[in-house]
C-alpha cells in the first residue's frame, strides 16, 4: 500500500477507535508491519502471516497443542488493551487475504468464565472470509478467583473486554485493508450470549448484528440458582450425598418425554413446548422401597423445587425461573457423564455449590464466607448493590441499538439445564414492554423489527439434546447441512442487516450423530420467532415443510 493511502487508512482507523493513533509506520499495511501499529491504550504483541492450512494453539490464550487444518492463509494479530490501571485485556484479530475478505468483521463470544479463545468459532469465520475477533475477557484461567486483588477484572469480564477488543480490531482491520469493515457482527452462546446482550445495552454502536444464544444475562441471579440447586438437594449437615442422585435424572426425563412428547401431534422424542407439559413427578413415586426406576417422596419434593426455582424469602417473588420438564437428564454436549441438572447442581471438584467463589470473592470479599448462612432476602439485595449494575445485562432498553439500525437474534433451548429457558422469554418480554412504552408518545414500536427470539425444542445448552438443533455456523457444535439464510442463523442475520430480509423462520436439523462427513439427517423442524410455535400440519414427519409457524393457544400453557 502506498504511504499516502496507508496514512489515510490509519486516520480512519483512529476515528473508529475514537482517538488519535500515536504513529503511522509506513510499512504496517502488510501483516508483519501491523506489529508496529500504535493503538490507544493498546499494543500489538504478535503480527504473523499464517499459511499452509494449519494452525496450532499456543499457551498464551488457548489450549497448547490443539491443531486445526484446512485453513486459508490469513494474518494473525494478537494484542493487549490496558484502558485503565489494573486492566489487561488480550485479543486476537484474524484477517483473511484481501481478495477473500467479505468486508465483514465478526467477533465471537466466550464460554463460562474461561479465558481460552474459542478457536473453532474463529476458524469458522475466517473460512467464510470474515475478519474474526475474540478476547480472553481480561483474565487468564477458568476459576472465579481471578478477581482477587484485581477489581478491574470484574468490569473487564462483565463488558469492557468485548468493547475494547472490537474497537482495537476495527482499527487493525482498517489499517490492514485500507478501508473499514462495512459491517460488524457478534455471535456467542452462554457467556457469549450474555456478552452479546451486554454489547447491545452498553455499547450499541459496536455491532450491526448480534446473535445471543442462551445468554444467562441475569447472571448474579443465575449464580443464586446454582446455590439454590445445591441447597435443596442436600440434607442439612450432609454436603456429600445428594437427595436426588444423578443416576435417576435420565429416568425422570424419559418419563417427561413419555407423558408430553405427543402434545404437538408428532412422537419424535421432543417436547415442542415444555410449558404445556403437565408432568407430575409424583407419577413416578415409588410405591414401596426406593428403587432406580422411581422417586422417593423426598426426591419428588426436590424435583418440584427444581421446577419452581429460588424465591425471595420475604416476598415469595421468583429470583430466577425454575427448570422446565425435560431438562433433568438431558445430554447436550460431548460429555454424557454429567447429564442435565447434575452438571450444574454442585462443584464437580469439591462438595459445595457451583460458582461459590462468585460470592466469596466478587461480592463479599471473604474466602471463609459461609454459604449456609445465606439470607434469602437481605443478602440478595447486597449482591445486587455490589455487582448487579456491572455484572448483569438485564437492561431492557435497546432503543439506542434499534436507532442505529442494529438487529439481534436471540435463541434458547427449551431443554437447557444451565440457564432456565423462561429467563430468555422474560428478557424478550421486558424489551417488548419497554419498546412499547418508549414508542407510545409517537408510534407503536415493533420489537420484532429489530429483535427476534427463537426457542429451540429439544435443545440443551447452546447445542445438542434430542431435537433438531443444528442451525448456526457462528455458535458452537451447531453446523447446519446447508449454508444459506434458511438453515444458518449467521447468514440469516447478515441478510437481515444488509438487505432487510427479516428471518420469518429458520430450519434446524437433527443428525444421526454429532459430527462426521457421513452423518445423515434424521429430521428437520422450523424454528419460529417467539411467541409462535411450529405445528404439525400433515405430511412426512421428518420434513420441515410438514410444519408451520402458528400463534400459541391457551392449551399450550400448563396449569
Amino acid at each position: 500500500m502506498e504511504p499516502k493511502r496507508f496514512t489515510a487508512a490509519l486516520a480512519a482507523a483512529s476515528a473508529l477507535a475514537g482517538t488519535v493513533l500515536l504513529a503511522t509506520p509506513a510499512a504496517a499495511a502488510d501483516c508483519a508491519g501491523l506489529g508496529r501499529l500504535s493503538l490507544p491504550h493498546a499494543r500489538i504483541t504478535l503480527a504473523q502471516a499464517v499459511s499452509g492450512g494449519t494452525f496450532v494453539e499456543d499457551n498464551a490464550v488457548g489450549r497448547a497443542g490443539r491443531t486445526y487444518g484446512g485453513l486459508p492463509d490469513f494474518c494473525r494479530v494478537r494484542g493487549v488493551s490496558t484502558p485503565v490501571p489494573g486492566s489487561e485485556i488480550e485479543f486476537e484479530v484474524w484477517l483473511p487475504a484481501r481478495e477473500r475478505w467479505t468486508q465483514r468483521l465478526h467477533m465471537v463470544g466466550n464460554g463460562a468464565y474461561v479465558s481460552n479463545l474459542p478457536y473453532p468459532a474463529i476458524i469458522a469465520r475466517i473460512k467464510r472470509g470474515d475478519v474474526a475477533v475474540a478476547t480472553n475477557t481480561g483474565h487468564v484461567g477458568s476459576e472465579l478467583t481471578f478477581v482477587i486483588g484485581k477489581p478491574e477484572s470484574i468490569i473487564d469480564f462483565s463488558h469492557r473486554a468485548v468493547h475494547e477488543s472490537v474497537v482495537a480490531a476495527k482499527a487493525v482491520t482498517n489499517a490492514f485493508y485500507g478501508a473499514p469493515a462495512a459491517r460488524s457482527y457478534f455471535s456467542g452462546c452462554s457467556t457469549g450470549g450474555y456478552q452479546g446482550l451486554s454489547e447491545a445495552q452498553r455499547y450499541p454502536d459496536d455491532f450491526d448484528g448480534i446473535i445471543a444464544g442462551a445468554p444467562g444475562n441475569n447472571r448474579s441471579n443465575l449464580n443464586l440458582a446454582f446455590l439454590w440447586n445445591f441447597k435443596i438437594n442436600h440434607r442439612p449437615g450432609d454436603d456429600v450425598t445428594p437427595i436426588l442422585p444423578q443416576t435417576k435424572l435420565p429416568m425422570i426425563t424419559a418419563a417427561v418425554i413419555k407423558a408430553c412428547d405427543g402434545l404437538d401431534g408428532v412422537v419424535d422424542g421432543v417436547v415442542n413446548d415444555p410449558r404445556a407439559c403437565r408432568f407430575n413427578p409424583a407419577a413416578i413415586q415409588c410405591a414401596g422401597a426406593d428403587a432406580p426406576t422411581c422417586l422417593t417422596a423426598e426426591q419428588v419434593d426436590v424435583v418440584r423445587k427444581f421446577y419452581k426455582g429460588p424465591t425471595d424469602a420475604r416476598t415469595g417473588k421468583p429470583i430466577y425461573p425454575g427448570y422446565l420438564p425435560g431438562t433433568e437428564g438431558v445430554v447436550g454436549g460431548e460429555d454424557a457423564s454429567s447429564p442435565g441438572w447434575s452438571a450444574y447442581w454442585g462443584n464437580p471438584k469439591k462438595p459445595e455449590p457451583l460458582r461459590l467463589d462468585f460470592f466469596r470473592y466478587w461480592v463479599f470479599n471473604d474466602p471463609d464466607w459461609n454459604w449456609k448462612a445465606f439470607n434469602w432476602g437481605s443478602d440478595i439485595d447486597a449482591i445486587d448493590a455490589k455487582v448487579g449494575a456491572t455484572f448483569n445485562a438485564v437492561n431492557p432498553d435497546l432503543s439506542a441499538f434499534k436507532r442505529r439500525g442494529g438487529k439481534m437474534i436471540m435463541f434458547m433451548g427449551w431443554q437447557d439445564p444451565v440457564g432456565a429457558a423462561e429467563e430468555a422469554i422474560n428478557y424478550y418480554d421486558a424489551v417488548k414492554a419497554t419498546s412499547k412504552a418508549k414508542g407510545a408518545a409517537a408510534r407503536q414500536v415493533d420489537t420484532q423489527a429489530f429483535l427476534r427470539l427463537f426457542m429451540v425444542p429439544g435443545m440443551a445448552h447452546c447445542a445438542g439434546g434430542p431435537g433438531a438443533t443444528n442451525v448456526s455456523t457462528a455458535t458452537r457444535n451447531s453446523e447446519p447441512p446447508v449454508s444459506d439464510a434458511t438453515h444458518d442463523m449467521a447468514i440469516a442475520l447478515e441478510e437481515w442487516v444488509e438487505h432487510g430480509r427479516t428471518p420469518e423462520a429458520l430450519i434446524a436439523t437433527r443428525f444421526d450423530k454429532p459430527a462426521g462427513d457421513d452423518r445423515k439427517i434424521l429430521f428437520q423442524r422450523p424454528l419460529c420467532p417467539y411467541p409462535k410455535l411450529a405445528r404439525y400440519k400433515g405430511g412426512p414427519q421428518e420434513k420441515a415443510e410438514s410444519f408451520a409457524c402458528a400463534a400459541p393457544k391457551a392449551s399450550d400453557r400448563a396449569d
Side-chain angles (χ1 to χ4, degrees), residues 9-21 167 171 174:
L10 284 173
S14 66
L16 283 170
T19 188
V20 177
L21 293 177
V167 167
N174 198 313

Side-chain angles (χ1 to χ4, degrees), residues 42-382:
R43 68 186 188 278
I44 303 301
T45 59
L46 174 74
Q48 178 185 58
V50 180
S51 60
T54 300
F55 171 73
V56 181
E57 292 190 31
D58 52 43
N59 284 314
V61 283
R63 298 173 177 88
R66 287 194 181 184
T67 301
Y68 304 90
L71 278 70
D73 294 349
F74 65 95
C75 173
R76 182 190 183 196
V77 175
R78 181 188 295 163
V80 179
S81 177
T82 53
V84 297
S87 173
E88 189 170 350
I89 301 163
E90 293 187 18
F91 61 88
E92 285 202 20
V93 187
W94 288 21
L95 304 112
R98 290 171 178 81
E99 64 272 13
R100 292 190 64 253
W101 186 36
T102 61
Q103 298 187 39
R104 300 185 184 103
L105 177 150
H106 200 131
M107 187 168 185
V108 293
N110 301 79
Y113 295 83
V114 178
S115 64
N116 294 331
L117 298 194
Y119 283 114
I122 294 172
I123 290 168
R125 302 329 305 166
I126 201 75
K127 285 183 175 180
R128 280 288 311 276
D130 299 343
V131 170
V133 186
T135 177
N136 75 338
T137 74
H139 76 281
V140 176
S142 60
E143 300 297 329
L144 277 71
T145 51
F146 69 77
V147 304
I148 297 175
K150 298 180 178 180
E152 291 296 335
S153 65
I154 294 179
I155 301 173
D156 289 341
F157 177 88
S158 298
H159 57 85
R160 187 164 53 199
V162 172
H163 172 66
E164 289 291 325
S165 297
V166 75
V167 167
K170 287 180 178 180
V172 170
T173 299
N174 198 313
F176 184 66
Y177 297 110
R183 296 291 186 180
S184 58
Y185 294 92
F186 182 93
S187 296
C189 192
S190 193
T191 292
Y194 156 77
Q195 291 169 323
L197 288 186
S198 187
E199 275 289 309
Q201 294 167 21
R202 293 180 167 92
Y203 309 103
D205 291 329
D206 279 355
F207 297 102
D208 300 294
I210 293 172
I211 294 176
N217 52 304
N218 192 1
R219 208 166 179 95
S220 62
N221 285 22
L222 174 59
N223 285 339
L224 281 172
F226 293 149
L227 184 67
W228 167 261
N229 294 345
F230 190 90
K231 175 180 182 292
I232 64 173
N233 200 30
H234 290 82
R235 301 176 187 90
D238 184 358
D239 293 343
V240 176
T241 308
I243 298 169
L244 176 66
Q246 179 193 81
T247 54
K248 290 194 177 186
L249 296 178
M251 178 267 296
I252 304 170
T253 298
V256 170
I257 300 299
K258 182 179 179 180
C260 301
D261 183 2
L263 293 177
D264 60 349
V266 176
V267 177
D268 56 3
V270 177
V271 179
N272 194 43
D273 181 352
R275 296 174 302 174
C277 182
R278 294 168 173 80
F279 174 74
N280 184 348
I284 52 175
Q285 184 170 328
C286 302
D290 188 11
T293 57
C294 61
L295 299 175
T296 67
E298 186 181 25
Q299 290 166 355
V300 168
D301 182 60
V302 168
V303 173
R304 285 175 171 155
K305 288 177 179 176
F306 268 100
Y307 291 158
K308 183 179 180 181
T311 56
D312 189 313
R314 299 164 296 186
T315 64
K317 181 181 177 181
I319 297 170
Y320 196 80
Y323 293 112
L324 292 171
T327 57
E328 310 84 2
V330 64
V331 176
E334 298 175 357
D335 183 9
S337 63
S338 298
W341 296 345
S342 64
Y344 304 97
W345 66 21
N347 187 333
K349 299 179 180 179
K350 48 189 172 182
E352 66 179 27
L354 187 67
R355 311 292 191 228
L356 200 57
D357 282 344
F358 165 74
F359 302 100
R360 288 174 176 142
Y361 301 109
W362 295 50
V363 179
F364 297 108
N365 196 26
D366 179 4
D368 299 318
W369 179 73
N370 181 12
W371 69 268
K372 296 178 182 179
F374 184 80
N375 184 305
W376 289 87
S378 59
D379 281 347
I380 298 171
D381 296 340

Side-chain angles (χ1 to χ4, degrees), residues 378-394:
S378 59
D379 281 347
I380 298 171
D381 296 340
I383 293 169
D384 191 58
K386 180 66 180 292
V387 299
T390 299
F391 187 51
N392 294 327
V394 294

Side-chain angles (χ1 to χ4, degrees), residues 434-456:
T434 302
S435 297
K436 287 183 175 180
K438 293 183 77 68
R443 61 181 181 84
Q444 190 77 353
V445 176
D446 181 8
T447 301
Q448 294 215 358
F450 70 96
L451 168 63
R452 297 214 159 190
L453 168 64
F454 292 87
M455 301 298 296
V456 187

